[in-house]
């Protein structure tokens, strides 16, 4: 019997964030880490095998550093919850070349853009995402099950763009959390990328306090509905749920809600 493979990633957006990732990764034991190749570069990921008898697939978590949403801490909390449901969860931190990060810092924001992540070029982001996704898919090529990619924010926008261009291997489903890109024309295209893909999409609106994503929330839903997209669902999380909890042993409201939405979505798909 075939079972789903879930994908989540952790994307570092600054040199300081990369150093922070390394420090946070050091908190986890060697038994919790695995390595894989993204192109020619070795990457380290956190590995959480399922604890349930019935194995449902592999989950690789794609998130962004910061104080809200899918951070390394909250991604690990999600992994611990989902492993009890039979998922093999992998949380992958991704670094970006510091020179590429600095190449666009001097650009001036306009009335139609802001400087959120503006220094990181879309092409650079996409190159790294292609290498990381190819590497992690290759690492788990022999694992049975579906492939479910879970990502948020700018990472989600770029993955949807890559999928539209057929530059990445299409998963069996995307779960996108508040997708956006801080440039007006590309941000508007997210709705069409979702509507045009044959891949089932769970669109988590809210959950990140970001006005770029909020601008396209209704458009994403309307485009999918008018385009008669099969297997599309939009669910809204309160912005207040996005913060992570620093209390040991306590699952944040964001992870609690997100994990339940993922559970319901996969059941709806018959997985």
């Amino acid at each position: 019997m075939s079972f789903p493979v879930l994908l989540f990633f952790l994307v570092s957006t600054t040199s300081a964030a990369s150093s922070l990732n390394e420090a946070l990764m050091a908190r986890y034991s060697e038994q919790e880490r695995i390595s894989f190749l993204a192109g020619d570069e070795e990457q380290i990921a956190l590995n959480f095998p399922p604890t349930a008898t019935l194995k449902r697939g592999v989950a690789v978590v794609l998130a962004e550093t910061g104080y809200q949403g899918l951070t390394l801490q909250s991604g690990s909390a999600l992994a611990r919850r989902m492993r009890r449901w039979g998922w093999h969860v992998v949380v992958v931190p991704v670094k970006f070349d510091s020179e590429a990060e600095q190449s666009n810092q001097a650009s001036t924001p306009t009335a139609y853009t802001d400087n959120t992540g503006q220094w990181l070029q879309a092409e650079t982001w996409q190159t790294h995402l292609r290498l990381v996704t190819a590497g992690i898919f290759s690492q788990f090529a022999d694992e049975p099950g579906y492939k479910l990619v879970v990502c948020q924010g700018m990472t989600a926008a770029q993955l949807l763009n890559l999928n539209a261009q057929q530059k990445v291997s299409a998963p069996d489903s995307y779960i996108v959390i508040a997708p956006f890109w801080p440039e007006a024309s590309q941000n508007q295209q997210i709705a069409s990328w979702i509507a045009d893909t044959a891949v089932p999409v769970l669109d988590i609106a809210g959950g990140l306090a970001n006005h770029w994503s909020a601008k396209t929330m209704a458009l994403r839903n309307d485009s999918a509905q008018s385009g008669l997209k099969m297997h599309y669902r939009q669910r809204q999380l309160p912005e207040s749920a996005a913060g992570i909890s620093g209390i040991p042993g306590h699952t944040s409201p964001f992870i609690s809600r997100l994990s339940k939405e993922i559970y319901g979505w996969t059941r709806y798909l018959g997985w």
Side-chain angles (χ1 to χ4, degrees):
M1 184 177 180
S2 186
F3 293 108
V5 176
L6 279 147
L7 287 162
F8 311 62
F9 290 77
L10 196 90
V11 178
S12 175
T13 55
T14 66
S15 298
S18 296
S19 299
L20 178 60
N21 271 344
E22 293 174 359
L24 291 173
M25 287 290 286
R27 299 180 181 180
Y28 298 87
S29 68
E30 292 292 334
Q31 291 74 25
E32 291 178 310
R33 304 181 198 176
I34 61 170
S35 63
F36 68 98
L37 288 177
D40 296 327
E41 183 179 353
E42 183 180 25
Q43 301 286 323
I44 304 298
L46 298 179
N47 187 42
F48 299 89
T51 56
T53 303
L54 180 60
K55 297 180 180 179
R56 299 188 178 278
V58 179
V60 186
V61 180
L62 216 177
E64 299 173 348
T65 55
Y67 64 91
Q68 62 176 354
L70 285 176
T71 63
L72 183 59
Q73 179 181 345
S74 60
S76 299
L78 179 62
R80 292 188 176 95
R81 172 165 287 211
M82 298 191 67
R83 73 189 303 190
R84 301 199 304 263
W85 301 339
W87 297 99
H88 184 166
V89 186
V90 183
V91 183
V92 185
V94 178
K95 300 177 183 178
F96 289 90
D97 185 354
S98 59
E99 292 183 2
E101 290 173 356
Q102 296 169 5
S103 63
N104 207 30
Q105 281 183 330
S107 58
T108 303
T110 70
Y112 301 101
T113 64
D114 66 19
N115 60 0
T116 305
Q118 189 173 357
W119 38 262
L120 186 57
Q121 297 176 357
E123 294 79 6
T124 301
W125 197 300
Q126 290 185 357
T127 297
H128 283 277
L129 287 180
R130 288 203 311 270
L131 292 175
V132 169
T133 53
I136 201 65
F137 276 125
S138 177
Q139 180 78 7
F140 293 100
D142 295 332
E143 291 277 352
Y146 303 106
K147 301 176 183 65
L148 178 62
V149 179
V150 182
C151 47
Q152 75 172 19
M154 294 167 67
T155 305
Q158 292 310 301
L159 269 182
L160 290 169
N161 189 358
L162 286 168
N163 180 76
Q165 299 176 67
Q166 299 182 344
K167 291 184 177 180
V168 291
S169 298
D172 296 295
S173 177
Y174 280 113
I175 294 175
V176 295
I177 304 167
F180 77 95
W181 189 259
E183 190 277 320
S185 62
Q186 188 171 19
N187 195 52
Q188 289 292 316
Q189 291 183 63
I190 293 173
S192 62
W193 294 336
I194 290 176
D196 293 342
T197 179
V199 178
V201 176
L202 172 61
D203 181 358
I204 304 294
L208 294 178
N210 183 276
H211 73 282
W212 286 101
S213 179
K215 284 181 178 180
T216 65
M217 181 180 70
L219 180 61
R220 299 196 306 268
N221 183 69
D222 292 346
S223 295
Q225 300 300 332
S226 62
L228 302 178
K229 175 172 174 53
M230 294 291 292
H231 304 309
Y232 171 84
R233 175 186 292 178
Q234 187 177 90
R235 301 285 289 174
Q236 187 163 7
L237 300 186
E239 306 295 355
S240 59
I244 63 173
S245 172
I247 304 174
H250 177 74
T251 301
S252 71
F254 172 73
I255 292 302
S256 179
R257 288 285 302 273
L258 176 61
S259 61
K260 290 177 182 177
E261 294 295 348
I262 293 173
Y263 183 88
W265 174 245
T266 56
R267 288 296 179 270
Y268 161 74
L269 292 175
W271 300 349

